[in-house]
């Protein structure tokens, strides 16, 4: 396999470019998108690379179509991705819910920008955390990952594909404008260096008869992709194990939805990832995600120099959310600070996790700029 | 053409555990479905290589009843989903079974863009002038004056002529019949299935329950007689003055051409990319 970019060495590239390259290394061969700042560079890179690796890159008429097309491609057997920003992500929400309901592995990149609506199109924000987790309709679960460096944007993109395939679910890579447009040194591995996971296919006709049944006991049914002679019917309506619509049967609905949610819940340990920094003896903790974590690392260093026992918990997985871990943290520290580039979206999750065991304080900043380390330090030292 | 019995077609292609269908008495969707299955049967197409795609609404339930791979998607988006399926696996033949609201209202943008790209798909479009499943609201195809629950005093907007729209947007094959036009319907679907690029066969289809009742045509035969009255064959329409054609619907074959389909275009694009990058001679 020949790649249209250097592999097995480092390169100095933007976050968006890193996401595109990682997708191709992860096996993505279908990209559908619609241009939007600050995600367009992902599309532009995919447009350049995809034809060369015998993949498809297509500019759809809108974001609804982009999301639809990647789901279609996934059922035809391809690993598929789209990328957008907040307003486009809103347009994708119905079909994102459809992907959850039909257990379709796809990767959706949301490069956040200022909102609501068109808001601050060229400036950074972290205003889509709630949208990523709860934006679609009904009871559901999906996986949301969040990088804080360009290298992490690369690594988590590969991880996003692997988790999507492993658990037959959409995965949202939630990043922000700062990381998307920032250039950093990234190590691009050779294909042999990275673990690539492919979806479980039915072993035989019998397994293929239950495309939505828990036949292996792990909650993840093998996916009978189209064109293999299995004659699979896929619908967004409530369906039984064979995929037959059963829209007014409460029991069927409950069984289906609970399995879809539980297949992720029972694999929390595999899905949830975080980095702890100076947390062992910390008396105050900072919990953050994405670009803000980088200011938070510096803030912890400054606080330590000033004699404050501070530590940082950087969340790489935002959903499923580890409420238990936050409660354990809250039992050990006096106070938790949540700096984020919105008026309190991660804060709500952390506060719920802390469960009253420690005080939780929001350090909100909106308008397009990342917190400076000193802004965090000053709030902590009061 | 030798016509097999309807039972034979049913037993060969329908999922028995899904029957009966959800369709109301007098509905025309079953007829259009039967014509499509007869066309597939006559052409001896391999069902394992056909994927049925649909959006939301009565006609969109069809992929559930036929024993093929099928994707029943969100309202209006069937052709966007189909774009992904076809480009990811060009060996699959795609039949999109859609309604008029599905294709021309909520899915209007996907419809014209799928045609512009010449996506390789055969659209079987059920046009009953109404939103049947949601209870008879007015559709963008409803002729002026027709009633729906959201236009109780008669539609005041201009209708879309779907076939006309498809021809203008660049479809390779476009035909319109009423479900009354049995042989023309089957032959058109056969033609459509054999062509590359975007092909469309539109059927004027009775919906006595949601549409007919509100427009003084309570039964399917009444609706069929109305279709006979308002439809004009293309050859005849060409000789008629515009004022006589007002309120009429022209039926026939409107386009039959062979522009390269999206799959072929993308294949050539891939080759061009590799050549421009010096990967291939």
């Amino acid at each position: 396999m020949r790649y249209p970019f250097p592999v097995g060495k480092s390169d100095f590239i933007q976050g968006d470019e890193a996401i595109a390259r990682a997708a191709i290394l992860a096996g993505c061969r279908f990209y559908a998108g619609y241009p939007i700042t600050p995600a367009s560079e992902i599309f532009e890179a995919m447009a350049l690379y995809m034809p060369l690796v015998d993949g498809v890159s297509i500019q759809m008429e809108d974001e609804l179509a982009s999301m639809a097309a990647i789901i279609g491609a996934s059922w035809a057997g391809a690993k598929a991705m789209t990328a957008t920003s907040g307003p486009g992500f809103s347009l994708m929400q119905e079909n994102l819910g459809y992907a959850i309901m039909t257990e379709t592995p796809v990767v959706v990149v949301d490069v956040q920008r200022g909102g609501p609506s068109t808001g601050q199109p060229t400036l950074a924000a972290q205003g889509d955390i709630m949208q990523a987790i709860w934006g679609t309709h009904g009871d559901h679960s999906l996986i949301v990952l969040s990088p804080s460096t360009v290298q992490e944007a690369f690594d988590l993109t590969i991880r996003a594909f692997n988790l999507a395939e492993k658990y037959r679910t959409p995965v949202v890579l939630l990043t922000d404008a700062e990381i998307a447009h920032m250039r950093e040194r990234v190590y691009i591995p050779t294909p042999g260096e990275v673990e690539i996971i492919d979806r479980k296919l039915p072993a035989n006709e019998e397994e293929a008869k239950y495309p939505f049944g828990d036949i292996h006991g792990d909650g993840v049914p093998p996916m009978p992709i189209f064109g293999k002679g299995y004659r699979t019917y896929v619908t967004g309506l409530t369906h039984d194990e064979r995929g037959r619509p059963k829209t007014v049967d409460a029991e069927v609905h409950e069984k289906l939805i609970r399995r879809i949610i539980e297949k992720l819940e029972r694999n929390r340990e595999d899905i949830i990832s975080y980095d702890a920094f100076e947390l062992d003896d910390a008396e105050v903790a900072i919990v953050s995600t994405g670009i803000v974590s980088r200011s938070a690392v510096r803030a912890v260093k400054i606080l330590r120099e000033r004699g404050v026992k501070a530590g940082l918990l950087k969340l790489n997985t935002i959903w499923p959310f580890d409420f238990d871990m936050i409660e354990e943290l809250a039992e050990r520290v006096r106070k938790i600070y949540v700096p984020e580039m919105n008026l309190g979206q991660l804060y709500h999750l952390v506060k719920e996790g802390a469960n009253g065991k420690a005080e939780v304080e929001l350090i909100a900043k909106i308008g397009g700029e990342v917190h400076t380390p000193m802004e965090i330090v000053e709030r902590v030292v009061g | 053409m030798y016509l097999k019995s309807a039972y034979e077609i049913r037993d060969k292609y329908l999922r028995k555990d899904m029957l009966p269908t959800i369709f109301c008495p007098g509905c025309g969707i079953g007829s259009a479905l039967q014509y499509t299955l007869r066309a597939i049967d006559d052409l001896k197409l391999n069902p394992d290589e056909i994927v049925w795609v649909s959006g939301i609404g009565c006609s969109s339930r069809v992929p559930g009843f036929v024993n093929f791979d099928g994707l029943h998607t969100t309202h209006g988006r069937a052709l966007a989903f189909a774009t992904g399926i076809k480009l990811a696996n060009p060996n699959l033949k795609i039949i999109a079974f859609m309604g008029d609201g599905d294709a021309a209202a909520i899915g209007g943008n996907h419809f014209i863009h799928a045609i512009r790209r010449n996506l390789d798909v055969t659209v079987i479009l059920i046009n009953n002038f109404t939103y049947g499943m949601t209870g008879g609201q007015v559709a963008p195809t409803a002729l002026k004056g027709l009633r729906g629950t959201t236009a109780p005093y008669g539609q005041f907007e201009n209708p879309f002529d779907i076939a006309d729209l498809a021809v203008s947007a660049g479809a390779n094959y476009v035909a319109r019949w009423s479900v009354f036009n049995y042989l023309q319907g089957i032959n058109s679907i056969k033609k459509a299935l054999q062509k590359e690029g975007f092909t469309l066969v539109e059927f004027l289809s009775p919906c006595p329950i949601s549409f007919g009742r509100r427009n003084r045509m309570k039964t399917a035969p009444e609706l069929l007689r109305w279709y006979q009255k308002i439809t004009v064959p293309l050859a005849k329409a060409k000789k008629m003055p515009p004022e006589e054609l007002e309120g009429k619907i022209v039926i026939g074959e409107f386009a039959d051409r062979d522009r390269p389909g999206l799959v072929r275009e993308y294949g050539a694009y891939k080759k061009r990319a590799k050549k421009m990058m010096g990967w291939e001679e």
Side-chain angles (χ1 to χ4, degrees), chain B residues 95-109:
Chain B
I95 297 172
F97 220 92
M98 319 178 73
D100 47 346
D102 213 22
I106 191 166
N109 205 27

Side-chain angles (χ1 to χ4, degrees), chain B:
Chain B
M1 176 166 59
Y2 162 74
L3 288 177
K4 284 184 180 168
S5 74
Y7 293 109
E8 219 176 317
I9 296 293
R10 181 195 68 185
D11 290 347
K12 191 167 172 188
Y13 294 106
L14 296 192
R15 291 190 168 113
K16 283 175 204 72
D17 65 308
M18 288 285 286
L19 300 179
T21 69
I22 59 154
F23 307 133
C24 307
C27 172
I29 295 171
S31 306
L33 170 59
Q34 193 198 129
Y35 304 163
T36 311
L37 293 173
R38 283 188 185 280
I40 288 169
D41 197 65
D42 237 39
L43 295 171
K44 298 187 171 54
L45 300 178
N46 180 359
D48 288 343
E49 289 165 2
I50 297 175
V51 178
W52 294 59
V53 187
S54 65
I56 294 291
C58 302
S59 54
S60 295
R61 289 299 193 91
V62 156
F65 300 125
V66 295
N67 192 18
F68 294 74
D69 282 328
L71 197 63
H72 175 217
T73 71
T74 46
H75 201 179
R77 321 282 169 216
L79 293 172
F81 282 85
T83 310
I85 299 172
K86 186 67 189 178
L87 287 176
N89 184 355
N91 297 324
L92 298 172
K93 191 178 261 303
I94 300 183
I95 297 172
F97 220 92
M98 319 178 73
D100 47 346
D102 213 22
I106 191 166
N109 205 27
H110 306 311
F111 185 72
I112 56 173
H113 284 278
I115 301 174
R116 174 181 65 80
R117 294 187 183 103
N118 213 3
L119 171 68
D120 305 79
V121 62
T122 294
V123 172
I124 308 295
L125 200 148
I126 303 294
N127 182 358
N128 53 17
F129 307 108
T130 192
Y131 287 73
M133 190 170 263
T134 42
Q137 294 82 5
V138 78
T141 45
L143 306 176
K144 268 192 172 168
L146 287 176
R147 288 180 196 184
T149 54
T150 47
Y153 310 111
Q155 169 67 320
F156 56 91
E157 296 174 20
N158 299 313
F160 258 141
D161 182 320
I162 290 181
D164 222 20
L165 187 67
V167 173
S168 310
N172 263 358
Y173 181 79
V174 179
R176 171 165 53 215
W177 307 105
S178 81
V179 291
F180 193 65
N181 304 106
Y182 186 95
L183 284 174
Q184 293 99 322
I186 296 173
N187 285 332
S188 272
I189 296 171
K190 278 166 73 174
K191 249 187 186 172
L193 285 171
Q194 290 177 93
K195 288 179 86 77
E196 77 170 277
F198 195 97
T199 58
L200 167 77
V201 185
E202 177 187 350
F203 285 101
L204 305 178
S205 172
C207 175
I209 304 296
S210 287
F211 172 77
R213 264 190 313 138
R214 294 192 175 81
N215 288 282
R216 299 202 180 98
M217 291 172 282
K218 283 183 182 161
T219 64
E222 281 174 89
L223 278 161
L224 290 173
R225 277 195 286 277
W226 179 61
Y227 292 153
Q228 278 184 298
K229 212 161 69 189
I230 62 162
T231 54
V232 181
L234 184 60
K236 192 178 167 195
K238 278 180 181 162
K239 293 179 214 149
M240 285 165 67
E243 56 276 14
E244 262 183 61
L245 273 172
E246 203 133 304
K248 296 274 196 287
I249 295 177
V250 181
I251 53 170
E253 266 183 354
F254 301 95
D256 188 354
R257 52 197 169 194
D258 293 297
R259 294 174 176 170
L262 180 62
V263 167
R264 188 141 62 102
E265 298 271 29
Y266 193 77
Y269 178 74
K270 266 201 299 197
K271 276 213 174 92
R272 190 158 78 233
K274 287 178 183 171
K275 208 170 149 190
M276 284 171 77
M277 293 300 279
W279 282 34
E280 270 176 17
E281 281 304 302

Side-chain angles (χ1 to χ4, degrees), chain A residues 87-157:
Chain A
F89 193 42
S90 295
L91 298 180
M92 292 178 180
Q93 290 295 344
E94 186 197 6
N95 282 339
L96 183 64
Y98 179 89
I100 293 169
M101 188 60 157
T102 54
E103 299 175 76
T104 309
V106 285
V107 173
V108 180
V109 183
D110 175 16
V111 185
Q112 299 169 95
R113 66 185 209 183
S117 186
T118 34
Q120 293 181 295
T122 60
L123 297 181
Q126 294 182 315
D128 297 350
I129 293 173
M130 285 297 179
Q131 186 184 194
I133 303 169
W134 301 121
T136 195
H137 167 206
D139 298 293
H140 62 271
S141 188
L142 77 173
I143 297 172
V144 184
L145 306 178
S146 162
S148 68
T149 65
V150 177
Q151 180 73 56
E152 278 180 12
F154 183 93
D155 297 342
L156 289 185
T157 300

